[in-house]
Amino acid sequence: MNKIDYNGRIFTSWENSGNGEVNRETLFHYFQDGNLVWANYAGGGIIAGHLIATMGDDGVLDMRYHHVNEKNEIMTGICTSTPELLESGKIRIHEEWTWTSGDRSSGRSILQEV
């Protein structure tokens, strides 16, 4: 797969495990500089969140994230995000994540470019 250009793209949560906190009201605004990728996110129960990642040669993101939810809790985690380029030219991201705070459970989610 050619490297993905995430810069300027906006995503929303399309699917999420029950122990996840983001939903379709959460918007992720992505930025990129070379292999460095980061995003700001908020909405759907998230007051403010950030993620930072490095992108491998295959476009896969090795990510760390943190946010403050509506309960005023700081939540943190790690994630591996694998992109899928859709026929429309938009990106779908398949994520496998683990909380590094709270109950330290794991889950899967899908982000879809809006």
Side-chain angles (χ1 to χ4, degrees):
M1 168 181 279
N2 292 332
K3 286 199 178 181
I4 299 287
D5 183 6
Y6 292 94
N7 196 48
R9 296 184 189 252
I10 299 172
F11 295 85
T12 187
S13 179
W14 196 251
E15 292 180 15
N16 201 0
S17 298
N19 56 334
E21 294 196 338
V22 302
N23 59 43
R24 290 194 184 193
E25 295 176 10
T26 310
L27 291 179
F28 295 78
H29 296 262
Y30 272 69
F31 305 92
Q32 182 174 347
D33 183 6
N35 288 336
L36 178 63
V37 177
W38 66 98
N40 301 317
Y41 61 98
I46 306 300
I47 296 171
H50 306 96
L51 62 84
I52 192 161
T54 55
M55 182 173 54
D57 290 338
D58 54 2
V60 174
L61 300 177
D62 177 18
M63 179 186 301
R64 306 297 180 268
Y65 61 89
H66 62 260
H67 65 248
V68 175
N69 62 26
E70 288 182 337
K71 298 176 192 172
N72 207 35
E73 299 168 319
I74 297 174
M75 301 297 291
T76 63
I78 60 174
C79 182
T80 300
S81 298
T82 304
E84 173 189 0
L85 190 57
L86 304 176
E87 288 184 20
S88 65
K90 293 188 177 187
I91 300 171
R92 181 178 293 148
I93 305 173
H94 301 266
E95 302 183 314
E96 295 187 23
W97 48 264
T98 301
W99 292 113
T100 57
S101 62
D103 65 7
R104 299 186 185 271
S105 62
S106 296
R108 292 176 184 235
S109 55
I110 295 175
L111 296 185
Q112 177 82 32
E113 186 177 0
V114 296

